[in-house]
Amino acid sequence: MSEELNRDYRIGDEIGRGRFGVVYRCYSPDSGEIFAVKTVDKSLLSDAVDFECAEREAKITQLASVGNPHVVQIHAVYEDETAIHLVMDLCEGGDLFDRIAACEGAPMGEADAAAVITVLMEALAICHQRGVAHRDVKPDNVLFDGEGRLRLADFGSAECFGDGVPMIGVVGTPYYVAPEVVAGREYGEKVDVWSAGVVLYIMLGGIPPFYGETATEIFDAVLRGNLRFPTRVFGGVSPLAKDLIRRMLCKDVSRRLSAEQVLRHPWITSVGGSRCVANQT
């Protein structure tokens, strides 16, 4: 570990592991506050592109998180010869994937789903205003802190956009990736709205909107974009909720809602204000 990191924080037990690094619990002896530190092992960064991605994650997360209460905050960044260390908020409340899985295939109630999607879209709207696209919105990256507040995390696939320069490259997770990404076209920040629309569909229906046994089959289904609402799982879902999903999962990017437009949709304004999920344990 970095000497400077060890000077400022005390490192505890491992709480997570990813492709390039490990996440540990840590605390500040000065303030007594508890954090998480993500240590990215430079030896696992196989080339200059990987290294650039690791450095960019720190910079983009800082850009997206400052003053954005719904994004995991970066409190400090350290670098030594062997690793890059990101000290960030500790989210001990699990993630949205766990909460969906706990329903055992049953749909989430509309009030709870609206509470989640409202805060998620607030987080994305601020990111987009700052020229940051997350590009990997999925339940695994929607975390909850110890008080149940939502935090958007993992900006490892994020990219900056603006000045008329579009983004390119197939990134993201198959079930949640937008069709323009799969097609290899240039794209903008509305890819995040598509992914959030998939999250909303899964919360309300308990199943993904576009399914396949392999990544290729899923991508084919996404490209077809044949959006359906099976009566057996969506029979009790309101027309307004389905309308919002259609507008988020719209293949025509020019007609797809922006994050700010999602927040003004009648289903959000009428149902989303309750923020019930924030109080769940």
Side-chain angles (χ1 to χ4, degrees), residues 218-250:
I218 296 169
F219 286 154
D220 288 343
V222 169
L223 287 172
R224 289 194 298 271
N226 187 12
L227 182 62
R228 296 178 178 176
F229 297 96
T231 303
R232 63 183 177 84
V233 290
F234 280 93
V237 175
S238 69
L240 268 181
K242 295 175 187 175
D243 179 74
L244 176 57
I245 292 172
R246 288 190 187 95
R247 293 173 184 270
M248 296 175 75
L249 297 181
C250 179

Side-chain angles (χ1 to χ4, degrees), residues 18 35 161 171 269:
F35 301 96
F161 65 90
V171 297
T269 57

Side-chain angles (χ1 to χ4, degrees), residues 1-271:
M1 288 287 181
S2 160
E3 289 185 10
E4 292 183 337
L5 174 65
N6 285 322
R7 178 196 65 203
D8 297 336
Y9 297 91
R10 299 294 178 267
I11 311 303
D13 54 315
E14 178 182 325
I15 56 176
R17 185 174 289 265
R19 178 184 172 195
F20 294 124
V22 183
V23 181
Y24 301 92
R25 188 187 309 271
C26 71
Y27 78 95
S28 166
D30 293 333
S31 68
E33 291 181 275
I34 302 175
F35 301 96
V37 56
K38 180 178 182 179
T39 294
V40 180
D41 187 341
K42 289 182 179 179
S43 69
L44 299 178
L45 305 176
S46 59
D47 54 31
V49 174
D50 285 344
F51 190 82
E52 180 185 345
C53 287
E55 289 194 317
R56 189 176 65 216
E57 177 181 359
K59 294 176 182 177
I60 291 181
T61 303
Q62 287 181 310
L63 174 61
S65 66
V66 174
N68 189 345
H70 310 309
V71 166
V72 169
Q73 305 290 304
I74 295 287
H75 297 277
V77 179
Y78 301 86
E79 183 174 353
D80 54 39
E81 293 182 358
T82 62
I84 300 171
H85 312 277
L86 310 179
V87 178
M88 59 187 71
D89 290 337
L90 175 65
C91 294
E92 296 189 285
D95 59 36
L96 182 58
F97 181 87
D98 294 332
R99 296 194 177 197
I100 293 173
C103 295
E104 298 181 345
M108 187 181 290
E110 287 194 37
D112 286 350
V116 169
I117 210 68
T118 298
V119 181
L120 176 57
M121 298 314 297
E122 287 174 352
L124 288 172
I126 294 174
C127 289
H128 295 171
Q129 289 166 8
R130 295 177 179 175
V132 173
H134 187 280
R135 301 203 301 176
D136 196 19
V137 175
K138 58 183 178 181
D140 316 56
N141 290 335
V142 177
L143 309 182
F144 297 90
D145 65 18
E147 298 180 10
R149 294 172 299 197
L150 185 150
R151 294 284 190 270
L152 178 61
D154 196 347
F155 282 73
S157 297
E159 183 62 274
C160 293
F161 65 90
D163 298 325
V165 179
M167 293 174 283
I168 57 173
V170 179
V171 297
T173 303
Y175 281 121
Y176 304 93
V177 71
E180 60 268 31
V181 177
V182 178
R185 300 196 302 267
E186 297 177 340
Y187 54 85
E189 72 279 10
K190 285 186 179 181
V191 295
D192 288 342
V193 176
W194 176 281
S195 300
V198 175
V199 172
L200 179 56
Y201 185 103
I202 291 173
M203 285 193 293
L204 292 177
I207 57 175
F210 309 108
Y211 180 77
E213 295 291 340
T214 65
T216 299
E217 290 180 0
I218 296 169
F219 286 154
D220 288 343
V222 169
L223 287 172
R224 289 194 298 271
N226 187 12
L227 182 62
R228 296 178 178 176
F229 297 96
T231 303
R232 63 183 177 84
V233 290
F234 280 93
V237 175
S238 69
L240 268 181
K242 295 175 187 175
D243 179 74
L244 176 57
I245 292 172
R246 288 190 187 95
R247 293 173 184 270
M248 296 175 75
L249 297 181
C250 179
K251 286 183 64 179
D252 184 343
V253 180
S254 67
R255 294 174 54 232
R256 188 184 308 160
L257 298 184
S258 67
E260 291 184 346
Q261 287 172 329
V262 170
L263 291 169
R264 295 195 294 269
H265 188 275
W267 185 71
I268 293 291
T269 57
S270 63
V271 182

